[in-house]
Amino acid sequence: MNLAYRDIKHNFLRFVLTNFGLSLLLGIVIMMTGVYGGLIDDALRQARAANADLWVVEAGTNGPFAESSRIPGDTRELVSRVYGVQRAGSVTYQSVQTELNGAPHRLFLIGFEPGRPGGPRQISAGRNILRSHYEMIVDRSAGLALGQEVLLGTRDHKFSVVGLMRNEVTSSGDPVAYITLRDAQALQFELAPPASRREQARGGSLETNDQINAVIAKVSPHVPVAEAAAALSRWKHLTALTQTQQETLLSKFVIEKARKQQLLIMVLLVIVSAVIIALIIYTMTMDKVRSIATLKFVGAPDRTIIGLIVQQSLSLGITGYVAGLALVFTFRPFFPRRLVFDPESVVAVFAITIVVCLAASTLGIRLALRVDPAEALSAAG
Amino acid sequence: MTEPGRQAVVCVERLSKYFGSGNARVDALIDINMEVFPGQVVGLMGPSGSGKTTLLNCMACILEPSGGRLTLDGEAVYDDHWLKADLRRLRLDKIGFIFQYPNLLPFLDATDNVAVVLHLAGLGAAAAHKRAVELLDYLEVGHRKRALPKQLSGGEAQRVAIARALANQPRIILADEPTAPLDSARARIVMDLLRRIAIDQSAAIIVVTHDEMILDRFDHIYRLRDGRLETDEVTRAPVGADY
Ligand SMILES: Nc1ncnc2c1ncn2[C@@H]1O[C@H](COP(=O)(O)OP(=O)(O)O)[C@@H](O)[C@H]1O
Ligand SMILES: [Mg+2]
């Protein structure tokens, strides 16, 4: 006969209400891990989309996301010849503001060389870029349809949408768009006609701005990435970052403050939950003092009493957690930010809940073990 | 009143108990001698504060005496200090306690309130359930076996509590004013029941009471005053005269 279960069943409504409150609390804790996961995932999304082994950027910079990086357009050929590098592609990154469907809209433009590393990872509708000019693959969140045309740049080039992607946004939520490297370079450096005429009059260079932001290199599986990186570091005007370094850079430094803030909120929430769970268990035990005294009087061992409290505490925690998880997943689509859950953090919250429940029940256990069996004799019954 | 050939189930010798020390010392029990034999129902009477509950608690191994000897069912339990390591087990196996209020566990139905002590004593779930139902039938509350304590009347609840006290077939049953919450007709029924149990299980039953109406139900009345046993009077004919 399970006393914990019987007591819960007897006070079922109270258990359900307590549980509802607890599940909201635990739901918020779980949600915060999702927000945290989303924060990191958004920060890393574009770095991961490139699917690089090595990032070749301007010497001394942490480019191309954390800092700006400019390297000559022929760097890719240089990199391709390095021992171990299998494939390489040039990329550019830039933010542009344009009008989409009559409203101002920001786009994050990625210029890439079709057929080389650095292109979109998955196209959910339409096709890849086939022509070398004025085609665009864009994230669905931009609200554009296949075949629609977008004006970009100072000379209002018409780009037509040939492909759509899902979930390709920057950490600030801007939709990502892929265009060819040549188009991207043109957009970055070409001047509006009057400015261009003035530049020409000054004797300035004509469209010689063959610059890129980074080269993405894929290294042969038979060659250690570190070896290829070492070979690349011979060029003093370049820095090679491994994918791991790039991700560490983004997750540790770029979003460091946001990350710390999230962690602090999570720690505070866990503390609040612990206090609340401890109080719930304590009052649940208080309500049972007389039953506990009677059980002790008739000869129940301490382990029966401890079992009763620990089991109730755990069932409260486990059902609260499950209900909280269900709440979060039910309301996830309505959350303003993308929530990303990795299994480890979901399991970690569960483990924390269990630990907190066990710790919280010690308060109730202390009370229960101090209950004098003779209390069962006292009048009020 | 020693009855030759029969061993006392409860034997109390020169038992004393005081609370506090120095000026604040309260002598709750002084030099108590008492013997209760199988099949006997004895009453413990006395004004409030005379030490009845204290004596019962000492016999129930809930409270440690300050001196003297206590022998339960032939086993020396206390001789100026506890002789048994596991008093809890002793209570579970040898002693049934009936409280002034039924003290049933509110979250268990009548059957499980009885089964729980069988379970604690190591009986399997099915066997415990079966024996609990038998006991409830024996106490004529079998028809209420699924009821929760709050659904039981005072008399029914008290009988469930008695069934619980009997569950492990203890040789010693201690009752602290078990009839206080009952009217006199029901009080008599409970007392007759205790008498029947004393005979059926050859148990010793000690009942604390204030109720002058049920005096005729006891084989013996012990009167306590200020912690001392006053008289030791025989009030009625030998055991089982009614049956
Ligand atoms: N835990 C205790 N601490 C101090 N004094 C106590 C305690 N329990 C009982 N007493 C004292 O012992 C005496 C006998 O009490 P008790 O056995 O409860 O009497 P009764 O049950 O006959 O009314 C009383 O004077 C009471 O104040
Ligand atoms: Mg009393």
Side-chain angles (χ1 to χ4, degrees):
Chain A
M1 162 183 342
N2 187 312
L3 296 175
Y5 167 70
R6 295 305 191 81
D7 185 43
I8 286 173
K9 215 174 88 178
H10 184 240
N11 276 314
F12 196 64
L13 186 68
R14 188 178 73 168
F15 183 79
V16 167
L17 289 177
T18 310
N19 222 286
F20 180 67
L22 193 61
S23 67
L24 287 178
L25 196 63
L26 290 175
I28 293 174
V29 176
I30 296 168
M31 194 184 74
M32 288 313 281
T33 69
V35 171
Y36 181 79
L39 186 80
I40 303 232
D41 194 75
D42 284 349
L44 296 180
R45 190 144 267 272
Q46 291 326 308
R48 282 184 177 157
N51 191 24
D53 290 328
L54 282 173
W55 292 81
V56 183
V57 296
E58 188 178 342
T61 71
N62 290 322
F65 304 104
E67 282 184 281
S68 76
S69 147
R70 289 195 161 192
I71 51 178
D74 60 2
T75 306
R76 194 247 299 155
E77 277 125 65
L78 213 71
V79 172
S80 299
R81 286 196 299 271
V82 165
Y83 171 71
V85 173
Q86 242 173 5
R87 282 154 20 93
S90 310
V91 284
T92 62
Y93 297 95
Q94 69 202 96
S95 283
V96 295
Q97 177 138 357
T98 180
E99 231 165 71
L100 299 180
N101 300 330
H105 228 294
R106 284 170 62 81
L107 283 178
F108 186 70
L109 286 184
I110 301 180
F112 76 108
E113 299 177 282
R116 292 186 181 276
R121 62 181 135 184
Q122 203 173 10
I123 294 170
S124 65
R127 58 166 174 82
N128 232 312
I129 289 177
L130 296 176
R131 287 171 30 208
S132 49
H133 284 297
Y134 308 133
E135 287 190 343
M136 167 191 267
I137 297 167
V138 69
D139 186 71
R140 284 177 188 272
S141 66
L144 294 169
L146 285 176
Q148 210 173 333
E149 291 194 323
V150 184
L151 298 180
L152 289 180
T154 46
R155 292 185 182 175
D156 280 346
H157 297 299
K158 269 192 196 146
F159 282 77
S160 66
V161 176
V162 297
L164 293 173
M165 306 173 291
R166 244 184 243 288
N167 285 335
E168 294 295 348
V169 294
T170 64
S171 51
S172 40
D174 297 335
V176 167
Y178 282 89
I179 56 178
T180 62
L181 182 72
R182 292 236 216 114
D183 286 348
Q185 284 175 319
L187 289 177
Q188 210 161 28
F189 302 114
E190 81 185 357
L191 298 167
S196 171
R197 281 194 295 278
R198 190 184 168 279
E199 193 69 13
Q200 261 176 321
R202 255 184 43 182
S205 55
L206 275 168
E207 315 268 317
T208 57
N209 290 307
D210 185 17
Q211 287 196 320
I212 55 175
N213 297 125
V215 170
I216 288 164
K218 296 293 287 176
V219 176
S220 153
H222 308 295
V223 178
V225 173
E227 205 169 300
L232 279 163
S233 65
R234 285 202 316 267
W235 281 291
K236 296 300 172 211
H237 68 297
L238 300 176
T239 293
L241 300 170
T242 63
Q243 178 68 16
T244 321
Q245 285 172 323
Q246 183 68 262
E247 289 191 13
T248 311
L249 208 63
L250 290 172
S251 61
K252 289 275 150 58
F253 304 114
V254 177
I255 55 167
E256 176 68 0
K257 287 221 175 75
R259 213 168 64 93
K260 275 190 176 160
Q261 171 192 322
Q262 294 275 319
L263 269 179
L264 183 68
I265 294 174
M266 262 157 69
V267 168
L268 289 178
L269 276 173
V270 167
I271 293 172
V272 170
S273 315
V275 170
I276 290 181
I277 293 175
L279 280 176
I280 292 173
I281 310 261
Y282 190 77
T283 44
M284 273 168 65
T285 311
M286 284 282 272
D287 290 348
K288 279 197 290 291
V289 161
R290 201 178 172 81
S291 297
I292 289 169
T294 309
L295 277 169
K296 283 183 164 183
F297 201 111
V298 299
D302 284 349
R303 102 185 99 79
T304 302
I305 316 270
I306 293 173
L308 170 69
I309 295 168
V310 168
Q311 285 169 30
Q312 292 200 333
S313 169
L314 285 181
S315 42
L316 201 63
I318 292 171
T319 48
Y321 175 85
V322 171
L325 201 64
L327 277 176
V328 169
F329 278 90
T330 309
F331 291 101
R332 187 185 188 180
F334 306 103
F335 199 76
R337 249 197 106 100
R338 222 156 54 82
L339 299 178
V340 175
F341 296 97
D342 59 309
E344 291 105 73
S345 56
V346 173
V347 169
V349 175
F350 181 72
I352 289 172
T353 307
I354 298 299
V355 170
V356 162
C357 282
L358 291 178
S361 54
T362 56
L363 208 62
I365 290 171
R366 270 169 55 108
L367 169 74
L369 291 185
R370 273 208 303 263
V371 169
D372 184 358
E375 221 165 295
L377 300 168
S378 63
Chain B
M1 57 140 287
T2 315
E3 291 169 48
R6 293 174 81 191
Q7 197 193 18
V9 185
V10 178
C11 181
V12 175
E13 295 163 82
R14 299 183 336 279
L15 196 83
S16 65
K17 172 68 187 173
Y18 57 85
F19 295 102
S21 58
N23 280 343
R25 173 165 155 162
V26 177
D27 282 290
L29 297 174
I30 303 159
D31 218 15
I32 305 287
N33 290 292
M34 195 171 181
E35 271 186 315
V36 189
F37 291 88
Q40 273 194 325
V41 180
V42 305
L44 201 53
M45 300 195 76
S48 179
S50 58
K52 304 181 298 291
T53 299
T54 306
L55 180 55
L56 217 55
N57 285 357
C58 287
M59 290 192 289
C61 307
I62 281 287
L63 195 63
E64 179 166 7
S66 309
R69 281 167 61 88
L70 175 65
T71 311
L72 299 178
D73 197 16
E75 262 187 282
V77 171
Y78 182 87
D79 189 356
D80 287 323
H81 59 273
W82 291 120
L83 301 172
K84 307 276 293 177
D86 198 353
L87 295 170
R88 177 191 73 70
R89 188 77 215 180
L90 188 83
R91 276 207 299 279
L92 192 56
D93 294 337
K94 290 208 193 299
I95 302 168
F97 205 102
I98 301 163
F99 303 90
Q100 180 169 355
Y101 295 89
N103 263 341
L104 298 174
L105 300 180
F107 49 88
L108 297 182
D109 65 21
T111 312
D112 286 336
N113 258 292
V114 178
V116 72
V117 289
L118 292 162
H119 195 69
L120 288 172
L123 217 61
H129 188 86
K130 185 165 171 281
R131 170 141 173 78
V133 173
E134 280 168 14
L135 277 162
L136 292 177
D137 283 336
Y138 175 65
L139 291 166
E140 291 155 16
V141 276
H143 60 293
R144 303 292 279 147
K145 64 183 181 219
R146 305 298 315 161
L148 286 171
K150 63 169 180 239
Q151 297 161 337
L152 296 172
S153 73
E156 286 170 342
Q158 193 59 290
R159 275 182 280 166
V160 173
I162 294 171
R164 177 177 64 186
L166 298 182
N168 288 319
Q169 289 175 297
R171 295 296 309 281
I172 302 151
I173 293 169
L174 307 172
D176 196 355
E177 308 198 28
T179 58
L182 305 177
D183 61 49
S184 59
R186 283 185 197 286
R188 277 167 199 284
I189 292 170
V190 167
M191 288 313 299
D192 288 341
L193 193 63
L194 288 178
R195 167 159 301 286
R196 203 170 95 209
I197 292 158
I199 294 161
D200 288 359
Q201 296 193 8
S202 73
I205 302 190
I206 301 169
V207 180
V208 169
T209 188
H210 271 117
D211 192 350
E212 298 285 339
M213 306 284 289
I214 55 169
L215 285 189
D216 59 330
R217 291 316 205 245
F218 295 107
D219 300 315
H220 261 83
I221 302 284
Y222 289 93
R223 286 188 191 273
L224 270 173
R225 182 173 293 277
D226 297 333
R228 287 177 202 278
L229 225 41
E230 248 186 0
T231 45
D232 175 352
E233 57 186 273
V234 180
T235 57
R236 58 171 284 156
V239 169
D242 277 1
Y243 294 82

